[in-house]
Amino acid sequence: MNLQQLHYVVALAEAKSFTKAAETSFVVQSALSQQVRKFEEELGVTLFERTTRAVSLTPAGEALLPLVHQVVAGIDQLKVDAQALSGTVTGRLTVGMMEVPSESLDVATLMATFHSRYPDVSVTLRSGGSDILLTATRDRKLDAAIVGSNVSPASDQLDFTHLFTESLIAVMPRDHPLTRQRAVSLTELAALPFIDFPLGYGLRHETDRGFAGVPRRVAFEVTRVDEVVHFVRQNLGVALLPESVARTRADSDSTLALRPVTGVQMHRQVHLVAPRPHLRSAACQAFIACVHDHLATP
C-alpha cells in the first residue's frame, strides 16, 4: 500500500471513470486500474463496482473513502507544514485567470508578492473564460483559478471563495443621445447594438442574466476590456463594464461617457476557486494565502 494508490482511489471516486481518472492523474489507464485493484486486494475489500459503462463506489467504498481522504489530507498537510518549517515551498503552480483589470485586482503585484515569498515555485498563468477555467480546475489541469460572475458554486470537488463584487455601468460614446439622461433603462439599452464578451465569460453570464426577458442584440463579441472600450469609442455599440474599470477608462478618455442602469442590479462577482484542501499542493495553499493577504492590504 502506498500514497500513489490512495491518490488513484480518490481520483477514481471523483471521476467515476478509469479514463478520466487516468487523465487527471497523468498516468495510463492500465497502470491506474492495476494499482487500484492491488490496493483493494491488500485491503481485502472491493471499493468500486465496475461495469462496461460506469464505475461507482461499493458500500465498502462509500464507508472507507472518507478515511482515504483523511489519510491523503494528512500527508499533504505534513508536506505543507514541513515546507513551512524549512521556509521553502517548491514545485509548479498553474493558475487560471479571467481578464481582471488592475483596477479590480492587481495581478502583477499579487504575483510579485508570491514570487518574493516563494521564489522556488515556477508559475504558469492561463487565461480564458470562467466556464473553461472552472472545468480545467475541476479536471486538475489548473491548481486554482480566478473566475467571474454567475458561475455555479455547486461542486463536490471545488471550494469557492468570494473575493469581491462590483456594479456594472453602461459605457457609451460621449455624443450618444442617451448621455443627455442621468441614467439609462434596460429597454433603452436593449434597443442598441451591444459589445459584449463571448458565452462562457463571467461578465457575459451576468449581462445575459440582467437582460433575461428583454431581447437585445449582441453585435460584437470580444475577449478583452480594451477591445470593448475601443469598439465603443468607434461608435459600434454600447457595453456594460465593472464600474472601477469603466471609470478609469473614461477619466483618461473624453470620448467616453458612463451612465448607471435602472431596472435591474447587475454586478461582476469574482471568486477564487480551488480543489478541496486535501487535494491542494503546498504551492496552491501558499498562493491562496497570498491572494487573501493581497486583498486585505489597503
Side-chain angles (χ1 to χ4, degrees):
M1 187 180 300
N2 58 56
L3 179 60
Q4 193 61 67
Q5 290 173 338
L6 296 175
H7 280 294
Y8 289 160
V9 168
V10 170
L12 184 57
E14 291 179 349
K16 298 180 177 62
S17 160
F18 279 100
T19 301
K20 292 179 180 178
E23 289 175 355
T24 59
S25 301
F26 302 102
V27 66
V28 296
Q29 181 177 330
S30 58
L32 183 140
S33 178
Q34 183 182 29
Q35 288 301 313
V36 170
R37 179 70 73 184
K38 185 176 180 180
F39 182 74
E40 290 176 316
E41 290 173 354
E42 291 184 28
L43 286 181
V45 296
T46 300
L47 300 178
F48 295 97
E49 193 73 48
R50 300 158 171 86
T51 69
T52 55
R53 294 188 177 182
V55 177
S56 60
L57 287 166
T58 63
E62 294 279 3
L64 292 175
L65 185 63
L67 183 57
V68 173
H69 278 303
Q70 290 177 24
V71 173
V72 172
I75 294 173
D76 286 345
Q77 189 60 49
L78 180 64
K79 293 178 182 177
V80 172
D81 292 346
Q83 289 190 348
L85 288 171
S86 68
T88 303
V89 175
T90 61
R92 172 167 292 279
L93 177 73
T94 305
V95 179
M97 291 270 184
M98 66 173 195
E99 187 188 8
V100 186
S102 59
E103 297 91 344
S104 301
L105 178 65
D106 191 340
V107 175
T109 299
L110 167 63
M111 298 315 301
T113 300
F114 181 82
H115 180 66
S116 68
R117 293 183 186 178
Y118 309 104
D120 295 323
V121 176
S122 299
V123 179
T124 300
L125 297 182
R126 304 289 189 198
S127 60
S130 293
D131 288 355
I132 293 172
L133 298 180
L134 271 178
T135 299
T137 306
R138 187 176 290 113
D139 291 344
R140 312 280 186 83
K141 296 176 182 177
L142 297 174
D143 293 297
I146 292 178
V147 300
S149 298
N150 265 27
V151 295
S152 172
S155 172
D156 59 355
Q157 302 175 39
L158 302 176
D159 276 347
F160 287 73
T161 302
H162 178 258
L163 299 181
F164 57 87
T165 298
E166 196 171 6
S167 297
L168 302 189
I169 194 167
V171 185
M172 59 190 70
R174 173 72 63 181
D175 58 359
H176 196 281
L178 287 181
T179 59
R180 298 170 192 157
Q181 306 171 191
R182 299 185 66 177
V184 295
S185 68
L186 272 185
T187 52
E188 288 172 324
L189 286 177
L192 304 171
F194 244 86
I195 302 155
D196 211 333
F197 292 85
L199 294 172
Y201 277 65
L203 279 177
R204 180 61 179 270
H205 275 297
E206 183 65 0
T207 54
D208 282 348
R209 182 196 66 79
F211 280 89
V214 182
R216 64 168 180 152
R217 183 172 72 91
V218 177
F220 298 95
E221 292 183 340
V222 297
T223 58
R224 297 181 57 81
V225 167
D226 286 341
E227 292 172 333
V228 173
V229 172
H230 184 60
F231 277 45
V232 171
R233 191 184 295 121
Q234 295 298 317
N235 205 20
L236 294 174
V238 297
L240 289 166
L241 288 176
E243 188 167 357
S244 67
V245 177
R247 291 204 179 280
T248 299
R249 301 302 196 279
D251 286 347
S252 60
D253 189 339
S254 61
T255 67
L256 299 176
L258 310 179
R259 292 294 183 271
V261 180
T262 60
V264 69
Q265 291 290 322
M266 284 184 281
H267 301 88
R268 191 263 295 273
Q269 299 180 34
V270 177
H271 308 272
L272 174 64
V273 59
R276 293 296 172 89
H278 66 274
L279 297 173
R280 297 173 190 166
S281 67
C284 180
Q285 293 275 41
F287 174 72
I288 291 170
C290 266
V291 172
H292 290 302
D293 290 348
H294 177 78
L295 290 175
T297 303

